[in-house]
């Protein structure tokens, strides 16, 4: 198979693993980008972006990244906190008074970032149209009562994470989270990364396909499915129209917990910009800010009794056996199809791996690439 792009001398092992992933895992199309010291040292792509037409994966191909979106939103929230515009440990209601209803007056942004706010799901059932309108979701968040005393347990907050923090961003900046991200980060760097895909970019989107043999999803009444589908309004892992993850109508919507679309280069650059700075610009997040972000806040058994081995800081997955990264300064997030991105200011790295053949959270494709990157950095 022919691959596009290149890897700098010293990072050829990453390129070798990327090629082997196509053989070992039946990749359709994929891309991996690594920034080191503020510049791309690995930028590779290959395979098929659309299996229906044979359209190849190109340098500017983008793909839905699912919960990698949470990392983008978290960087925006930490940026506002660093600027003194948001106190992560003060009540959300300081900026959003209506949020305090239903026993939520003591919930802080940090509790949301660490999945400890007691709001993993909404009781209200919303239509897809209501979700895309934004305000009905915000009213449902205001009405919701926590499932547990905020701060005393944790459970993945799925879509509520993005809408709740996104409304905080909107209250502070006057911009929805997707617009704020473009204004504060992406436009200046010309990143192919959006929360809410512009219509003119639809032609570059890779088409998702489920890998055969994926285990069946649990029933719609289960907590996990209520979380990831917002009570059935957003299909998961449904891909086709109407409103599946290959539907331009879904990709155009601003769904800030899971709805970003990005190229590998764009997503790696987001993390590199946060951790080291890129293109000669200063880093977005200071060492002090990241020290707070990578402190472990949630791990072990969740409120519902599960333990997948994840470790959470404030808004980010941390290095763990579940999702190996480079060390204690690594911060990232992964996506439902196997996508993964992270940054690390100790190693000066921004990393992103994206693919359109959906295997699942924590599959080995990205892990093998990170292992090769770790070895390359040791030898560099």
């Amino acid at each position: 198979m022919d691959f596009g792009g290149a890897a700098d001398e010293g990072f050829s092992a990453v390129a070798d693993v990327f090629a082997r992933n196509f053989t070992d895992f039946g990749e359709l199309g994929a891309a991996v980008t690594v920034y080191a010291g503020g510049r791309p040292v690995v930028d590779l792509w290959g395979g098929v972006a659309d299996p229906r037409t044979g359209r190849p994966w190109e340098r500017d191909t983008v793909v839905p990244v699912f919960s990698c979106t949470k990392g983008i939103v978290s960087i925006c929230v930490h940026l506002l906190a660093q600027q003194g515009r948001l106190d992560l440990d003060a009540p959300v209601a300081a900026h959003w008074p209506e949020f305090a209803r239903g026993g939520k007056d003591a919930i802080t942004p940090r509790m949301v970032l660490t999945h400890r706010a007691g709001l993993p799901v909404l009781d209200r059932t919303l239509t897809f149209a209501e979700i895309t309108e934004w305000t009905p979701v915000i009213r449902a968040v205001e009405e919701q009562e926590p499932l547990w005393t905020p701060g005393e347990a944790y459970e993945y907050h799925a879509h509520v994470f993005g809408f709740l923090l996104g409304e905080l961003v909107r209250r502070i900046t006057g911009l929805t989270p997707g617009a704020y991200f473009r204004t504060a980060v992406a436009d200046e760097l010309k990143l192919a990364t959006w929360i809410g895909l512009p219509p003119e970019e639809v032609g570059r989107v890779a088409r998702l396909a489920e890998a055969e043999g994926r285990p069946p999803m649990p029933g719609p009444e289960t907590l996990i499915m209520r979380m990831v589908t917002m009570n059935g309004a957003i299909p998961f892992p449904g891909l086709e129209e109407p409103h599946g993850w290959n539907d331009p109508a879904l990709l155009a919507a601003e769904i800030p917990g899971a709805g970003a679309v990005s190229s590998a280069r764009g997503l790696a650059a987001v993390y590199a910009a946060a951790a080291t700075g890129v293109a000669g610009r200063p880093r977005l997040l200071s060492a002090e800010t990241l020290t707070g972000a990578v402190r472990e806040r949630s791990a072990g058994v969740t409120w519902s009794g599960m333990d997948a081995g994840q470790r959470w800081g404030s808004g980010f997955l941390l290095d763990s056996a579940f999702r190996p990264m480079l060390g204690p300064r690594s911060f990232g997030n992964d996506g439902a199809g196997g996508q993964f991105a992270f940054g690390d200011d100790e190693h000066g790295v921004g990393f992103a791996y994206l693919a359109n053949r959906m295997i699942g959270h924590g599959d080995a494709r990205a892990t093998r690439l990170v292992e090769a990157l770790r070895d390359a950095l040791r030898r560099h």
Side-chain angles (χ1 to χ4, degrees), residues 252-274:
E254 199 158 324
I255 301 174
V261 177
S262 183
S263 68
R265 188 180 181 113
L267 196 53
V270 171
Y271 277 97

Side-chain angles (χ1 to χ4, degrees), residues 192-216:
T193 307
W194 296 271
I195 305 173
L197 185 71
E200 62 271 19
E201 305 295 345
V202 169
R204 67 159 90 179
V205 179
R207 187 171 183 82
L208 296 167
E210 281 198 75
E212 61 283 355
R214 280 187 61 164

Side-chain angles (χ1 to χ4, degrees), residues 48-378:
V48 176
D50 189 339
R52 301 172 306 172
T53 65
R55 173 167 57 93
W57 196 293
E58 305 283 1
R59 182 183 185 274
D60 65 350
T61 295
V62 298
V63 68
V65 299
F66 295 98
S67 285
C68 291
T69 312
K70 291 180 175 67
I72 298 170
V73 170
S74 295
I75 287 170
C76 291
V77 168
H78 282 288
L79 184 59
L80 290 172
Q82 183 174 276
Q83 294 168 348
R85 303 171 74 183
L86 174 65
D87 184 341
L88 298 182
D89 298 306
V92 169
H95 295 280
W96 179 3
E98 302 90 339
F99 177 79
R101 297 202 295 262
K104 301 193 297 298
D105 53 296
I107 291 176
T108 65
R110 180 96 61 191
M111 290 179 188
V112 184
L113 288 165
T114 58
H115 303 275
R116 306 186 73 86
L119 303 170
V121 294
L122 299 175
D123 291 334
R124 182 177 166 191
T125 297
L126 297 150
T127 66
F128 181 80
E130 287 176 321
I131 288 169
T132 64
E133 290 168 14
W134 188 269
T135 299
V137 182
I138 302 313
R139 297 288 89 82
V141 171
E142 292 169 356
E143 296 164 4
Q144 184 66 37
E145 296 183 3
L147 300 189
W148 62 82
T149 301
E152 293 190 359
Y154 96 97
E155 185 75 59
Y156 190 59
H157 275 41
H159 287 292
V160 177
F161 180 102
F163 282 107
L164 204 165
L165 293 173
E167 178 65 6
L168 262 181
V169 169
R170 192 188 71 79
R171 297 265 173 157
I172 293 166
T173 69
L175 299 171
T176 59
Y180 175 71
F181 166 68
R182 293 300 308 183
T183 299
V185 180
D187 283 345
E188 184 179 8
L189 297 175
K190 297 181 172 59
L191 302 184
T193 307
W194 296 271
I195 305 173
L197 185 71
E200 62 271 19
E201 305 295 345
V202 169
R204 67 159 90 179
V205 179
R207 187 171 183 82
L208 296 167
E210 281 198 75
E212 61 283 355
R214 280 187 61 164
M217 300 303 295
E221 76 288 347
T222 60
L223 181 66
I224 183 63
M225 291 305 288
R226 290 182 61 212
M227 288 192 297
V228 301
T229 68
M230 292 193 74
N231 293 331
I234 299 175
F236 185 85
L239 302 180
E240 306 313 324
E241 298 183 29
H243 312 323
W245 291 94
N246 284 324
D247 185 350
L250 186 148
L251 302 182
E254 199 158 324
I255 301 174
V261 177
S262 183
S263 68
R265 188 180 181 113
L267 196 53
V270 171
Y271 277 97
T276 69
V278 297
R281 295 172 174 84
R283 59 192 286 177
L284 289 175
L285 301 183
S286 68
E288 181 181 6
T289 295
L290 284 180
T291 296
V294 300
R295 177 185 165 193
E296 183 184 298
R297 307 277 181 164
S298 298
V301 179
T302 68
W303 177 76
S304 64
M306 302 291 289
D307 184 358
Q310 297 158 317
R311 298 174 58 242
W312 293 98
S314 293
F316 303 105
L317 277 173
L318 306 180
D319 185 52
S320 69
F322 168 82
R323 182 47 89 187
M325 294 181 242
L326 298 179
R329 299 288 295 184
S330 294
F331 60 104
N333 225 303
D334 62 1
Q339 305 92 333
F340 181 51
F342 73 94
D344 188 302
D345 64 344
E346 179 180 356
H347 292 89
V349 162
F351 169 95
Y353 159 79
L354 306 180
N356 60 345
R357 184 171 184 263
M358 295 179 63
I359 295 179
H361 279 290
D363 73 75
R365 294 172 295 174
T367 298
R368 298 197 330 175
L369 290 164
V370 174
E371 288 171 353
L373 172 60
R374 188 184 303 112
D375 291 343
L377 290 170
R378 286 187 187 129

